[in-house]
Amino acid sequence: MKVVIVGGVAVGASAVARIRRLDESAEITVFERSGYISYANCGLPYYIGDVIEDPEDLTLQTPESFFTRFRVNMKIRHEVTAIHPDRKTVAVKNLETGEEFEESYDKLILSPGAKPTTPPFPGLDSEKLFTLRTVEDTFRIKEYIREHQPKSAILAGGGFIGLELAENLRQLGMDVTVVQNLPQLMTPFDPDMAAFIHSELRSHGVKLALNRTVEGFAERNGGIDVLLKDALPIHADMAVLAIGVTPDTALAKEAGLELGIKGSIVVNDHMETSVSDIYAGGDAVQVKHFVTGEDTLIPMAGPANKHGRIIADNICGLDSHYKGSQGSSILKVFDLTAAVTGINGMQAKAAGIDADYVILSPMSHAGYYPGGKMMTMKVLFEKGTFRLLGAQIVGYEGVDKRIDVLATAIRVGMNATDLKDLDLAYAPPYSSAKDPVNMAGFMIDNIANGVLKQWHLEDADKLPRDGSVTLLDTRTAGEYSRGHIEDFVNIPVDELRERLNEVPKGKPVYVICQSGLRSYIASRILEGSGYTAYNFAGGFRFYDAVMNDRRMNEAAYPCGMDR
């Protein structure tokens, strides 16, 4: 069996290793148009920021090491220029010598990946404008910084690459601005949770220009202007275009393969394309979302490596299926860790799913053990069925552990109420006897049983101020004096039983505290005394963080800024 692979990074390298382990006699040839194979895309920003110092650490394998271990013909600087399914060949060009030839295959694997999205902006040819996708891109940015010592940079795009670069360039001492055409960064997160990411960036001196649309670039005064719609340009010494990626599927289109979202390659759960004996995986393919079942694009390293293994299994006679992506991801933002899995509230609404959520602010480990740090968790579930839909966590320690537990719970089809029953490891330096994941399950179980009624941030402006409801803040008088929601009266939870006469009967009571715990206790006191009480999800700490972020967003770059 002769296998030809187009692309030697995640899918290609994973498929190579698996095929060889399953079939010692297979003839395997990989064509990679760049000069590197099996490199760590996710590590590229950290090389730019000197966190990773040795460039050789970015490449997990070399053509020589692959041949030594797997006896694979790994052809770097070779570009496949056409696919001929009718005669089962690919046209190849040696980018070093210019030689062109055809290579036959029995099975063809396409892993071309994705390319940086580059709209037809003016100024894309500027030597001060960069994209970051390959090792070569990384070296180009690194060399520019070394030679020109730029003092400022603008990152057009607020996704993973944009924020990782923002951190690394800032730690090199550069003045950094992130421009995003939406009111938030990191769209896998809901806007309320993204507020914590915004705050962390701002606290480290990163400027955010949100709701600003990039329209082009122009060199000026030895630097580069980022041109904005309906606003003044922003000027810096260099700029990086990181507004997303687009499936790199020109070859597939020309070969007549069925295409899907944004020109991605359509595959079945065996990773087979619409053309016999051609498989595809990675950032170039359309997948099913595990939670919604809808077609989607989720360009991430984890799924890509799984695609390669599944393709290899099926080529070698096994029966492997890809069961969908759920977008589990994690990001370091200076000292903060932000992680997500499943769908967020906006995605649930778009998919027609009636969703609810709980928000909690647990400590990373037992409160009596020193060094614990608070995290903020948002766990979404479907109303009525209590199907677990997704989770978002921001914090400093233990975020990765909790998001992986929740991702696993989604994958195995657990209901959100089942989280309370998980038997999770506990010792004071690592967790609490009631782990944060358990606590989310307890809260959702209370909702399912009618013990807990909630109100949310989006309800705050809708609450009537005409006296038809009671608005109650159950924090201490000192906490209340340092900030509260207008029209909320203060009765500390520990005084509530003695002061129930101050709470009018026959009216719903909307309760808030700092984190949601004391207001929940107050709600139970009220419910036990004949009231109907609703507890605020997240507490005043959460409310204040989100509202402060909104004020900052509105104040920043009202008309653009020329620096």
Side-chain angles (χ1 to χ4, degrees), residues 367-387:
Y368 60 83
Y369 188 88
K373 296 183 179 180
M374 186 177 292
M375 66 181 75
T376 302
M377 299 175 60
K378 183 175 187 177
V379 181
L380 289 89
F381 56 92
E382 186 175 30
K383 290 182 181 178
T385 68
F386 292 91
R387 176 169 65 112

PDB file of all heavy atoms in Angstrom, residues 367-387:
ATOM      1  N   GLY A 367      -9.870  26.388  51.798  1.00  0.00           N
ATOM      2  CA  GLY A 367      -9.655  27.744  52.252  1.00  0.00           C
ATOM      3  C   GLY A 367      -8.715  27.867  53.422  1.00  0.00           C
ATOM      4  O   GLY A 367      -8.022  28.885  53.575  1.00  0.00           O
ATOM      5  N   TYR A 368      -8.635  26.833  54.258  1.00  0.00           N
ATOM      6  CA  TYR A 368      -7.770  26.911  55.436  1.00  0.00           C
ATOM      7  C   TYR A 368      -6.315  26.598  55.114  1.00  0.00           C
ATOM      8  O   TYR A 368      -5.425  26.807  55.946  1.00  0.00           O
ATOM      9  CB  TYR A 368      -8.271  25.965  56.534  1.00  0.00           C
ATOM     10  CG  TYR A 368      -8.308  24.505  56.139  1.00  0.00           C
ATOM     11  CD1 TYR A 368      -7.181  23.706  56.214  1.00  0.00           C
ATOM     12  CD2 TYR A 368      -9.496  23.923  55.694  1.00  0.00           C
ATOM     13  CE1 TYR A 368      -7.212  22.377  55.851  1.00  0.00           C
ATOM     14  CE2 TYR A 368      -9.541  22.588  55.323  1.00  0.00           C
ATOM     15  CZ  TYR A 368      -8.397  21.822  55.414  1.00  0.00           C
ATOM     16  OH  TYR A 368      -8.443  20.502  55.050  1.00  0.00           O
ATOM     17  N   TYR A 369      -6.060  26.085  53.897  1.00  0.00           N
ATOM     18  CA  TYR A 369      -4.681  25.816  53.488  1.00  0.00           C
ATOM     19  C   TYR A 369      -4.157  27.046  52.751  1.00  0.00           C
ATOM     20  O   TYR A 369      -4.815  27.542  51.843  1.00  0.00           O
ATOM     21  CB  TYR A 369      -4.620  24.582  52.596  1.00  0.00           C
ATOM     22  CG  TYR A 369      -3.209  24.132  52.278  1.00  0.00           C
ATOM     23  CD1 TYR A 369      -2.538  23.244  53.118  1.00  0.00           C
ATOM     24  CD2 TYR A 369      -2.541  24.614  51.165  1.00  0.00           C
ATOM     25  CE1 TYR A 369      -1.247  22.833  52.843  1.00  0.00           C
ATOM     26  CE2 TYR A 369      -1.238  24.211  50.880  1.00  0.00           C
ATOM     27  CZ  TYR A 369      -0.599  23.319  51.728  1.00  0.00           C
ATOM     28  OH  TYR A 369       0.683  22.928  51.459  1.00  0.00           O
ATOM     29  N   PRO A 370      -2.983  27.556  53.117  1.00  0.00           N
ATOM     30  CA  PRO A 370      -2.522  28.838  52.539  1.00  0.00           C
ATOM     31  C   PRO A 370      -2.298  28.761  51.037  1.00  0.00           C
ATOM     32  O   PRO A 370      -1.949  27.722  50.489  1.00  0.00           O
ATOM     33  CB  PRO A 370      -1.215  29.110  53.286  1.00  0.00           C
ATOM     34  CG  PRO A 370      -0.777  27.786  53.826  1.00  0.00           C
ATOM     35  CD  PRO A 370      -2.030  27.018  54.112  1.00  0.00           C
ATOM     36  N   GLY A 371      -2.497  29.903  50.395  1.00  0.00           N
ATOM     37  CA  GLY A 371      -2.165  30.038  48.981  1.00  0.00           C
ATOM     38  C   GLY A 371      -3.294  29.805  48.018  1.00  0.00           C
ATOM     39  O   GLY A 371      -3.098  29.900  46.804  1.00  0.00           O
ATOM     40  N   GLY A 372      -4.495  29.519  48.502  1.00  0.00           N
ATOM     41  CA  GLY A 372      -5.615  29.301  47.597  1.00  0.00           C
ATOM     42  C   GLY A 372      -5.978  30.562  46.833  1.00  0.00           C
ATOM     43  O   GLY A 372      -5.857  31.677  47.349  1.00  0.00           O
ATOM     44  N   LYS A 373      -6.419  30.392  45.615  1.00  0.00           N
ATOM     45  CA  LYS A 373      -6.805  31.525  44.775  1.00  0.00           C
ATOM     46  C   LYS A 373      -8.186  31.278  44.186  1.00  0.00           C
ATOM     47  O   LYS A 373      -8.539  30.146  43.844  1.00  0.00           O
ATOM     48  CB  LYS A 373      -5.778  31.749  43.668  1.00  0.00           C
ATOM     49  CG  LYS A 373      -4.401  32.146  44.210  1.00  0.00           C
ATOM     50  CD  LYS A 373      -3.425  32.438  43.093  1.00  0.00           C
ATOM     51  CE  LYS A 373      -2.074  32.865  43.664  1.00  0.00           C
ATOM     52  NZ  LYS A 373      -1.091  33.148  42.578  1.00  0.00           N
ATOM     53  N   MET A 374      -8.933  32.360  44.039  1.00  0.00           N
ATOM     54  CA  MET A 374     -10.306  32.255  43.580  1.00  0.00           C
ATOM     55  C   MET A 374     -10.372  32.053  42.073  1.00  0.00           C
ATOM     56  O   MET A 374      -9.569  32.600  41.314  1.00  0.00           O
ATOM     57  CB  MET A 374     -11.084  33.513  43.978  1.00  0.00           C
ATOM     58  CG  MET A 374     -12.573  33.454  43.685  1.00  0.00           C
ATOM     59  SD  MET A 374     -13.425  34.937  44.267  1.00  0.00           S
ATOM     60  CE  MET A 374     -13.244  34.724  46.040  1.00  0.00           C
ATOM     61  N   MET A 375     -11.317  31.260  41.642  1.00  0.00           N
ATOM     62  CA  MET A 375     -11.634  31.124  40.223  1.00  0.00           C
ATOM     63  C   MET A 375     -13.108  31.457  40.024  1.00  0.00           C
ATOM     64  O   MET A 375     -13.903  31.448  40.972  1.00  0.00           O
ATOM     65  CB  MET A 375     -11.319  29.715  39.718  1.00  0.00           C
ATOM     66  CG  MET A 375     -12.173  28.617  40.322  1.00  0.00           C
ATOM     67  SD  MET A 375     -11.725  26.973  39.692  1.00  0.00           S
ATOM     68  CE  MET A 375     -10.198  26.678  40.578  1.00  0.00           C
ATOM     69  N   THR A 376     -13.459  31.769  38.807  1.00  0.00           N
ATOM     70  CA  THR A 376     -14.858  32.018  38.453  1.00  0.00           C
ATOM     71  C   THR A 376     -15.283  30.978  37.435  1.00  0.00           C
ATOM     72  O   THR A 376     -14.626  30.807  36.409  1.00  0.00           O
ATOM     73  CB  THR A 376     -15.044  33.433  37.862  1.00  0.00           C
ATOM     74  OG1 THR A 376     -14.586  34.399  38.813  1.00  0.00           O
ATOM     75  CG2 THR A 376     -16.505  33.699  37.543  1.00  0.00           C
ATOM     76  N   MET A 377     -16.355  30.258  37.745  1.00  0.00           N
ATOM     77  CA  MET A 377     -16.845  29.176  36.892  1.00  0.00           C
ATOM     78  C   MET A 377     -18.251  29.497  36.395  1.00  0.00           C
ATOM     79  O   MET A 377     -19.095  29.950  37.163  1.00  0.00           O
ATOM     80  CB  MET A 377     -16.882  27.853  37.660  1.00  0.00           C
ATOM     81  CG  MET A 377     -15.548  27.371  38.164  1.00  0.00           C
ATOM     82  SD  MET A 377     -15.679  25.874  39.202  1.00  0.00           S
ATOM     83  CE  MET A 377     -16.434  24.714  38.050  1.00  0.00           C
ATOM     84  N   LYS A 378     -18.472  29.248  35.127  1.00  0.00           N
ATOM     85  CA  LYS A 378     -19.802  29.352  34.537  1.00  0.00           C
ATOM     86  C   LYS A 378     -20.104  28.007  33.889  1.00  0.00           C
ATOM     87  O   LYS A 378     -19.391  27.573  32.980  1.00  0.00           O
ATOM     88  CB  LYS A 378     -19.862  30.472  33.497  1.00  0.00           C
ATOM     89  CG  LYS A 378     -21.234  30.693  32.889  1.00  0.00           C
ATOM     90  CD  LYS A 378     -21.235  31.906  31.953  1.00  0.00           C
ATOM     91  CE  LYS A 378     -22.633  32.239  31.460  1.00  0.00           C
ATOM     92  NZ  LYS A 378     -22.650  33.460  30.605  1.00  0.00           N
ATOM     93  N   VAL A 379     -21.144  27.345  34.365  1.00  0.00           N
ATOM     94  CA  VAL A 379     -21.502  26.018  33.874  1.00  0.00           C
ATOM     95  C   VAL A 379     -22.897  26.094  33.280  1.00  0.00           C
ATOM     96  O   VAL A 379     -23.851  26.501  33.952  1.00  0.00           O
ATOM     97  CB  VAL A 379     -21.446  24.970  34.997  1.00  0.00           C
ATOM     98  CG1 VAL A 379     -21.811  23.588  34.459  1.00  0.00           C
ATOM     99  CG2 VAL A 379     -20.054  24.941  35.633  1.00  0.00           C
ATOM    100  N   LEU A 380     -23.016  25.720  32.004  1.00  0.00           N
ATOM    101  CA  LEU A 380     -24.277  25.819  31.285  1.00  0.00           C
ATOM    102  C   LEU A 380     -24.954  24.469  31.162  1.00  0.00           C
ATOM    103  O   LEU A 380     -24.289  23.440  30.979  1.00  0.00           O
ATOM    104  CB  LEU A 380     -24.047  26.392  29.876  1.00  0.00           C
ATOM    105  CG  LEU A 380     -23.685  27.868  29.769  1.00  0.00           C
ATOM    106  CD1 LEU A 380     -22.174  28.043  29.847  1.00  0.00           C
ATOM    107  CD2 LEU A 380     -24.223  28.483  28.495  1.00  0.00           C
ATOM    108  N   PHE A 381     -26.284  24.493  31.204  1.00  0.00           N
ATOM    109  CA  PHE A 381     -27.057  23.272  31.061  1.00  0.00           C
ATOM    110  C   PHE A 381     -28.378  23.603  30.366  1.00  0.00           C
ATOM    111  O   PHE A 381     -28.811  24.761  30.315  1.00  0.00           O
ATOM    112  CB  PHE A 381     -27.334  22.640  32.428  1.00  0.00           C
ATOM    113  CG  PHE A 381     -28.029  23.559  33.399  1.00  0.00           C
ATOM    114  CD1 PHE A 381     -29.416  23.574  33.499  1.00  0.00           C
ATOM    115  CD2 PHE A 381     -27.296  24.418  34.205  1.00  0.00           C
ATOM    116  CE1 PHE A 381     -30.056  24.432  34.383  1.00  0.00           C
ATOM    117  CE2 PHE A 381     -27.932  25.281  35.092  1.00  0.00           C
ATOM    118  CZ  PHE A 381     -29.316  25.284  35.180  1.00  0.00           C
ATOM    119  N   GLU A 382     -28.995  22.576  29.812  1.00  0.00           N
ATOM    120  CA  GLU A 382     -30.265  22.759  29.112  1.00  0.00           C
ATOM    121  C   GLU A 382     -31.412  22.736  30.119  1.00  0.00           C
ATOM    122  O   GLU A 382     -31.478  21.851  30.982  1.00  0.00           O
ATOM    123  CB  GLU A 382     -30.462  21.655  28.074  1.00  0.00           C
ATOM    124  CG  GLU A 382     -31.683  21.843  27.198  1.00  0.00           C
ATOM    125  CD  GLU A 382     -31.770  20.797  26.099  1.00  0.00           C
ATOM    126  OE1 GLU A 382     -31.284  19.667  26.310  1.00  0.00           O
ATOM    127  OE2 GLU A 382     -32.299  21.115  25.018  1.00  0.00           O
ATOM    128  N   LYS A 383     -32.288  23.712  30.019  1.00  0.00           N
ATOM    129  CA  LYS A 383     -33.437  23.748  30.908  1.00  0.00           C
ATOM    130  C   LYS A 383     -34.304  22.509  30.673  1.00  0.00           C
ATOM    131  O   LYS A 383     -34.465  22.053  29.557  1.00  0.00           O
ATOM    132  CB  LYS A 383     -34.268  25.010  30.662  1.00  0.00           C
ATOM    133  CG  LYS A 383     -33.598  26.304  31.099  1.00  0.00           C
ATOM    134  CD  LYS A 383     -34.513  27.489  30.860  1.00  0.00           C
ATOM    135  CE  LYS A 383     -33.859  28.801  31.272  1.00  0.00           C
ATOM    136  NZ  LYS A 383     -34.742  29.965  31.001  1.00  0.00           N
ATOM    137  N   GLY A 384     -34.869  22.010  31.734  1.00  0.00           N
ATOM    138  CA  GLY A 384     -35.766  20.868  31.623  1.00  0.00           C
ATOM    139  C   GLY A 384     -35.046  19.545  31.657  1.00  0.00           C
ATOM    140  O   GLY A 384     -35.280  18.712  32.542  1.00  0.00           O
ATOM    141  N   THR A 385     -34.111  19.344  30.716  1.00  0.00           N
ATOM    142  CA  THR A 385     -33.389  18.066  30.665  1.00  0.00           C
ATOM    143  C   THR A 385     -32.166  18.066  31.568  1.00  0.00           C
ATOM    144  O   THR A 385     -31.675  16.997  31.934  1.00  0.00           O
ATOM    145  CB  THR A 385     -32.916  17.763  29.232  1.00  0.00           C
ATOM    146  OG1 THR A 385     -31.899  18.702  28.853  1.00  0.00           O
ATOM    147  CG2 THR A 385     -34.075  17.849  28.241  1.00  0.00           C
ATOM    148  N   PHE A 386     -31.618  19.234  31.848  1.00  0.00           N
ATOM    149  CA  PHE A 386     -30.391  19.414  32.627  1.00  0.00           C
ATOM    150  C   PHE A 386     -29.179  18.763  31.953  1.00  0.00           C
ATOM    151  O   PHE A 386     -28.198  18.405  32.604  1.00  0.00           O
ATOM    152  CB  PHE A 386     -30.564  18.935  34.066  1.00  0.00           C
ATOM    153  CG  PHE A 386     -31.527  19.817  34.827  1.00  0.00           C
ATOM    154  CD1 PHE A 386     -32.883  19.512  34.856  1.00  0.00           C
ATOM    155  CD2 PHE A 386     -31.092  20.965  35.444  1.00  0.00           C
ATOM    156  CE1 PHE A 386     -33.781  20.340  35.514  1.00  0.00           C
ATOM    157  CE2 PHE A 386     -31.988  21.795  36.098  1.00  0.00           C
ATOM    158  CZ  PHE A 386     -33.328  21.485  36.141  1.00  0.00           C
ATOM    159  N   ARG A 387     -29.263  18.635  30.634  1.00  0.00           N
ATOM    160  CA  ARG A 387     -28.103  18.169  29.862  1.00  0.00           C
ATOM    161  C   ARG A 387     -26.968  19.173  30.013  1.00  0.00           C
ATOM    162  O   ARG A 387     -27.155  20.377  29.864  1.00  0.00           O
ATOM    163  CB  ARG A 387     -28.481  18.005  28.393  1.00  0.00           C
ATOM    164  CG  ARG A 387     -27.317  17.622  27.470  1.00  0.00           C
ATOM    165  CD  ARG A 387     -27.820  17.220  26.091  1.00  0.00           C
ATOM    166  NE  ARG A 387     -28.450  18.308  25.383  1.00  0.00           N
ATOM    167  CZ  ARG A 387     -27.943  18.885  24.279  1.00  0.00           C
ATOM    168  NH1 ARG A 387     -26.786  18.467  23.783  1.00  0.00           N
ATOM    169  NH2 ARG A 387     -28.591  19.865  23.668  1.00  0.00           N
TER     170      ARG A 387
END
